[in-house]
Amino acid sequence: MSVTAAQGFTAAGVAAGIKASGRKDLALVRNLGPRFDAAGVFTSNRICAAPVTWSRQAIADGRIDAVVLNSGGANACTGVEGFADTHHTAEKVGEELGIAAGDVVVCSTGLIGARLPMDALLTGITTAAADLSADGGLAAAEAIMTTDTRPKEAVRTVDGWTVGGMAKGAGMLAPGLATMLVVITTDAVVPAEDLQSALGAATRVTFDRLDSDGCMSTNDTVVALASGASGITPEATAFLAALTEVCHDLGQQLIGDAEGASHDIAVRVVNAASEDDAVQVARSITGSNLFKCAIFGNDPNWGRVLSALGTTAAAYEPDGVDVSFNGVMVCRGGAIGEPRELVDLHPRAVDVLVDLHAGDAQATVWTNDLTYDYVKENAEYSS
Amino acid sequence: MSVTAAQGFTAAGVAAGIKASGRKDLALVRNLGPRFDAAGVFTSNRICAAPVTWSRQAIADGRIDAVVLNSGGANACTGVEGFADTHHTAEKVGEELGIAAGDVVVCSTGLIGARLPMDALLTGITTAAADLSADGGLAAAEAIMTTDTRPKEAVRTVDGWTVGGMAKGAGMLAPGLATMLVVITTDAVVPAEDLQSALGAATRVTFDRLDSDGCMSTNDTVVALASGASGITPEATAFLAALTEVCHDLGQQLIGDAEGASHDIAVRVVNAASEDDAVQVARSITGSNLFKCAIFGNDPNWGRVLSALGTTAAAYEPDGVDVSFNGVMVCRGGAIGEPRELVDLHPRAVDVLVDLHAGDAQATVWTNDLTYDYVKENAEYSS
C-alpha cells in the first residue's frame, strides 16, 4: 500500500518507455487534501540534478500537491536543457491534474549525464494521471526501481492516522542521504513547518546513517506529504516515532537489497564521547573496502576495524577499544581477544560492536559487504 | 640493486620461517658509514603498530645504523607483548651487528592482530646478519613482499652520488602514505635534519598521493639513510629532485602492482584555486568505488566523477567543470560533452583530467580500478 495507505492519496506507476527494458518507469503520487503540507530533504551533493534544484524551490513554501518520479535517467549534469526538461515535466503534471506546476515535486533516477526521452515521459504522465487510484501504491513503488530487485514499502498506523512510504535505491548509498528517492505520505494533520522538522530528525538517524558504498548521489530526495484527511492532529513525539519507524523500515529495505551484497552489516559504536564521534567512527569502518571484503569472505578481521578507527579524530585510547563481531569480543583493549574462529559470519546479518570506553554516546551506521556482484553490477552497466 | 646501489650499505633477505609459504620474509639493511644520518616518515593512523612506535623513537635523534624488516605479520594491535617483541628484535640486531638497539629501525607488515613467531624471527636475524653483502639489495626487496607480485626497486645516480630504494605494498594504499614499507639509501652527505625535510617534501607529492583502496595502514614507514660514503655534498635542490624521482618511481611500481588491479589511473585536477583543493577533489574521485568499478568495466562514466566532485568543499562552479578521459572531453561545462564512445579505456594506463576553471593550482593522485580480483584477494585471505 505504501504511499496510498494513508487517506487522501492516490498513486500510479506506468511503463512510459523511458527504460529500454519496457518495465514500469514513471510514478505519480497525488495529495487530494484537504491539507497539502509538505517537507523535503535533499542530497547535500553540490553537483545536484535538475529535478533536485526544481523540487527544492517547489517545496520551499510548504505546499506540494503531487510528486512525479521517473527511473531510467537521473537528469543530472544535463545543463539548462535538463532543467527545462524538469520544468516541462512539472507543467505537464500540472495540466493533467489541474494544479500549479510550482506545487509539483519532480524526482529522477538513473544514469547521470544523459537527457531524458521527453516525448515518452510526457505521454507517460498522461497515462499515469488517468491511472491514479487509492490502490496505486505498489505500482508506484515498482515504477521507481532501478537496480532494485524488489519494491520497498512501509506503513505504520497509530490511533486513527497512518504514515506510509515507498523508496528506491540500491547503490550510491552514502552519507548525506543515499541514492534514493523516498515519498512518505500521512493523513495526520501536520503543518508543513512541523513536518519539515520531524522529517529532518527522522532522516538524520535513518537514511543519513546508511552507507552502502560511500558514494553520494546527485539526486537524493526524501519528500513527505500530509493530507490531514484523518482529521487527527497527533502528538509531535508520536508522529516523529511513527515517521522514524517508516524511515528506518525503508532504510533497512534499501540496505537489504543493495547491489550485489551478501551481508547486511550494522556497525554500532558505543560509549563514545559524543554522538558525532560515534558516527565518525562508524562511518570510517563502513567506508573501508578492506573491512567490507573481509565480511564478504566471512572473516572477522578486526585489524581492519581498528585501522579504520585510527583514521578518525574521535576520542579514545588505542589500548582501550573493544571490538565484537556477532557477540564475540575478538579485540579487547586494542589487542587480541577471543579467538576469531568463534565468530560465525555465515548469516546475512552482521553485528559489529565497537566500544570506545570514552563516554556514553552511541550511533549505528548500516552498510553492506563488498562482493564480486557489486563490482559486476557497477562495471558492466552504466548507472 | 636498490638499497645497496649507494656506497656504504649492505643488505640481506632470508627465509626465516615467518611466512607459512617458506618464502623470504626477513630483510636487513646496514649502513657502514662514515655517516649515519637518517630520516623517517610514518603512518598518520592513530592505531599504529608496535614497530612504528619503536622506530619513531629510534629515529628521533637523526641516527640509524640498520633497518630490519619482516613480512608475514604486522605486529599491530598486539598490546605490550607486541611492543616487547619489537624491542627484542632491535636488541637482537644490535647484538649481531655490534650496534646500539636504539639505532635500529624495525618494520613489520602482514596480518594485523597476531603475534609474530619470535623464535623464527630472531634466528632469521642471525642468518641475515651473516648474509649481509653489497649485492643483497634484491634479496632484501624480495623479503619484504606480501601480496606484491614483484619486488620494487629504484636507483638514481647523479654526479658521483646515488639514491636507491626498495618498497613493498599492494593493498591498503591510501592518503597519509600507503600500506608500504620503504627504505631509501644514499651515499651523499646529507645531515639528518636536511634529510628529514627532503624526505617530507618528496613523500608529500609521491607516496602520499597514492590511493589504491582508501584504506590507511597501521604500519606505513618510509625511512631514508645517508652514509656520506661518496664524500659529496649535493645541492639541496639536486638531492631533492633525485630523492623525489626515486620515491615517484617506487610509488608508480606500487600502483602498478596493486591487488587485483587491471588499470592504473592518474586523476589530474588542474586550474584549481589551491593545491589543497586540487588534492581534495582528486582524492574524492580516487575514493569512489563506483568510479573505480566503471574504469574496470572500461566505461568513461563521467557522472561518477562529478558526483564525487560534488561532495568536496573545493572552489568551482558546477557548470564550469570539464572532465576528460584519455584526452576526450566527455563532460564540458558540467554537462554532456564529446560522445563517450570516443574513449578507449582498454589500455592499462588511464588519464582522467578534471579542469575546475577556478585558479592555477594542480595535483595528481594515482589509484587503481576496483575489480573482482581485488575483492577476491581481500575476501579470501586475511591480511
Side-chain angles (χ1 to χ4, degrees), chain B residues 3 5 53 66-67 92 102 146 157 168 186 202 207 215 230 238 257 285 305 309 325 327:
Chain B
V3 292
T53 303
V67 182
K92 178 72 172 175
T146 52
T157 297
K168 88 99 210 169
T186 182
F207 297 121
C215 295
S230 71
D257 192 28
I285 297 163
V305 172
L309 165 65
F325 281 71

Side-chain angles (χ1 to χ4, degrees), chain B:
Chain B
M1 293 290 287
S2 69
V3 292
T4 50
Q7 299 174 64
F9 293 93
T10 55
V14 302
I18 306 167
K19 282 182 182 165
S21 67
R23 293 195 182 150
K24 290 196 189 88
D25 49 19
L26 187 88
L28 194 55
V29 179
R30 182 173 191 181
N31 183 356
L32 296 166
R35 297 178 60 98
F36 300 90
D37 299 287
V41 178
F42 300 91
T43 182
S44 54
N45 198 310
R46 288 170 61 200
I47 306 279
C48 67
V52 169
T53 303
W54 169 270
S55 298
R56 270 204 185 98
Q57 294 170 345
I59 213 162
D61 65 359
R63 174 179 180 140
I64 290 297
D65 290 39
V67 182
V68 59
L69 313 93
N70 75 274
S71 51
N75 196 11
C77 306
T78 44
V80 290
E81 297 87 351
F83 189 79
D85 289 344
T86 291
H87 190 171
H88 293 156
T89 302
E91 284 185 330
K92 178 72 172 175
V93 172
E95 275 172 38
E96 293 290 345
L97 302 185
I99 60 177
D103 292 333
V104 178
V105 157
V106 181
C107 301
S108 299
T109 180
L111 180 66
I112 298 170
R115 294 281 300 280
L116 290 171
M118 286 304 292
D119 286 350
L121 195 151
L122 296 175
T123 306
I125 288 171
T126 304
T127 312
D131 211 35
L132 282 171
S133 84
D135 299 324
L138 177 58
E142 289 170 345
I144 60 174
M145 292 165 58
T146 52
T147 55
D148 307 66
T149 66
R150 48 186 181 266
K152 283 95 179 172
E153 303 180 288
V155 177
R156 293 291 183 283
T157 297
V158 185
D159 298 336
W161 51 274
T162 294
V163 179
M166 65 177 184
K168 88 99 210 169
M172 211 181 253
L173 291 173
L177 301 188
T179 292
M180 56 191 201
L181 303 179
V182 179
V183 179
I184 294 165
T185 58
T186 182
D187 48 21
V189 176
V190 189
E193 200 172 314
D194 299 340
L195 192 60
Q196 184 67 47
S197 64
L199 187 63
T203 56
R204 193 180 69 82
V205 295
T206 56
F207 297 121
D208 198 27
R209 299 262 167 101
L210 307 182
D211 182 1
S212 174
D213 63 2
C215 295
M216 185 193 288
S217 160
T218 50
N219 288 57
D220 288 340
T221 300
V222 182
V223 59
L225 310 177
S227 70
S230 71
I232 299 170
T233 304
E235 290 287 328
T237 52
F239 182 71
L240 177 59
L243 182 63
T244 304
E245 277 178 33
V246 166
C247 290
H248 180 76
D249 188 336
L250 291 172
Q252 294 301 305
Q253 291 181 54
L254 293 177
I255 284 288
D257 192 28
E259 286 171 350
S262 68
H263 288 89
D264 305 332
I265 309 167
V267 175
R268 294 189 292 142
V269 177
V270 300
N271 297 320
S274 67
E275 186 180 350
D276 281 354
D277 268 16
V279 171
Q280 185 189 8
V281 168
R283 285 207 200 288
S284 77
I285 297 163
T286 59
S288 164
N289 281 352
L290 289 175
F291 165 74
K292 291 157 59 132
C293 284
I295 299 296
F296 174 48
N298 298 321
D299 174 15
N301 195 318
W302 59 268
R304 295 178 182 177
V305 172
L306 262 69
S307 66
L309 165 65
T311 66
T312 72
Y316 65 86
E317 291 301 324
D319 60 359
V321 177
D322 302 330
V323 179
S324 301
F325 281 71
N326 286 351
V328 180
M329 195 182 287
V330 285
C331 168
R332 191 189 309 270
I336 304 161
E338 299 297 311
R340 36 180 103 195
E341 292 71 27
L342 297 180
V343 181
D344 179 10
L345 289 178
H346 287 91
R348 186 173 173 104
V350 175
D351 181 75
V352 176
L353 179 68
V354 179
D355 189 335
L356 296 181
H357 293 286
D360 57 7
Q362 60 177 297
T364 301
V365 175
W366 293 273
T367 189
N368 299 106
D369 51 352
L370 179 54
T371 69
Y372 299 135
D373 285 344
Y374 176 87
V375 176
K376 183 181 175 76
E377 287 209 35
N378 288 295
E380 296 192 359
Y381 313 108
S382 273
S383 59

Side-chain angles (χ1 to χ4, degrees), chain A:
Chain A
M1 293 290 288
S2 71
V3 291
T4 49
Q7 298 174 65
F9 293 94
T10 55
V14 302
I18 306 167
K19 282 182 183 164
S21 66
R23 291 193 182 153
K24 290 196 190 90
D25 50 20
L26 187 88
L28 193 56
V29 179
R30 182 173 191 182
N31 182 357
L32 297 167
R35 296 177 59 97
F36 300 90
D37 299 286
V41 178
F42 300 91
T43 182
S44 54
N45 198 310
R46 289 170 61 200
I47 305 279
C48 67
V52 170
T53 304
W54 170 271
S55 298
R56 272 205 183 99
Q57 295 171 342
I59 213 162
D61 65 358
R63 175 176 180 144
I64 290 296
D65 290 41
V67 182
V68 59
L69 313 93
N70 75 273
S71 51
N75 196 13
C77 305
T78 44
V80 291
E81 296 87 352
F83 190 80
D85 290 343
T86 291
H87 191 170
H88 292 158
T89 302
E91 283 185 331
K92 179 71 174 177
V93 171
E95 274 172 39
E96 292 289 344
L97 303 184
I99 59 177
D103 292 334
V104 177
V105 157
V106 181
C107 302
S108 298
T109 181
L111 180 66
I112 298 171
R115 296 281 300 280
L116 290 171
M118 286 304 292
D119 287 349
L121 196 152
L122 296 176
T123 305
I125 289 172
T126 304
T127 311
D131 211 37
L132 283 170
S133 83
D135 300 323
L138 177 58
E142 288 170 347
I144 60 175
M145 291 164 61
T146 52
T147 54
D148 307 68
T149 66
R150 48 186 182 266
K152 283 93 178 174
E153 303 180 288
V155 176
R156 292 293 182 283
T157 297
V158 186
D159 298 336
W161 51 273
T162 294
V163 179
M166 67 178 183
K168 89 98 210 170
M172 213 182 252
L173 291 173
L177 303 187
T179 290
M180 57 192 198
L181 303 180
V182 179
V183 179
I184 294 164
T185 58
T186 181
D187 48 19
V189 176
V190 189
E193 200 172 314
D194 299 340
L195 191 60
Q196 184 67 47
S197 65
L199 186 64
T203 56
R204 194 180 69 83
V205 294
T206 56
F207 295 120
D208 198 26
R209 298 262 168 103
L210 307 181
D211 181 1
S212 174
D213 63 3
C215 295
M216 186 193 287
S217 159
T218 51
N219 288 56
D220 288 340
T221 299
V222 181
V223 59
L225 309 177
S227 70
S230 71
I232 299 169
T233 304
E235 291 286 332
T237 53
F239 181 72
L240 176 59
L243 181 65
T244 303
E245 278 178 32
V246 166
C247 290
H248 180 76
D249 189 335
L250 291 172
Q252 293 302 304
Q253 291 181 56
L254 293 176
I255 284 287
D257 192 27
E259 287 170 350
S262 69
H263 289 90
D264 305 333
I265 309 166
V267 176
R268 293 189 293 141
V269 177
V270 300
N271 296 320
S274 67
E275 187 180 349
D276 281 353
D277 268 15
V279 171
Q280 185 190 7
V281 169
R283 285 205 201 288
S284 77
I285 297 163
T286 59
S288 163
N289 281 352
L290 289 174
F291 165 74
K292 290 157 60 128
C293 284
I295 300 295
F296 174 49
N298 298 322
D299 173 14
N301 195 318
W302 59 268
R304 295 180 181 176
V305 172
L306 262 69
S307 67
L309 165 65
T311 66
T312 73
Y316 64 86
E317 291 301 322
D319 61 358
V321 176
D322 302 330
V323 179
S324 302
F325 281 71
N326 286 350
V328 180
M329 195 180 288
V330 284
C331 168
R332 191 189 310 269
I336 303 161
E338 299 296 313
R340 37 181 103 195
E341 292 70 29
L342 297 179
V343 180
D344 180 10
L345 290 178
H346 287 91
R348 185 172 174 105
V350 174
D351 181 75
V352 176
L353 179 68
V354 179
D355 189 335
L356 295 181
H357 293 286
D360 57 8
Q362 59 177 298
T364 301
V365 174
W366 292 273
T367 189
N368 300 105
D369 51 352
L370 179 54
T371 69
Y372 300 134
D373 286 345
Y374 175 86
V375 176
K376 183 183 176 74
E377 286 208 35
N378 289 295
E380 296 191 0
Y381 313 107
S382 274
S383 59

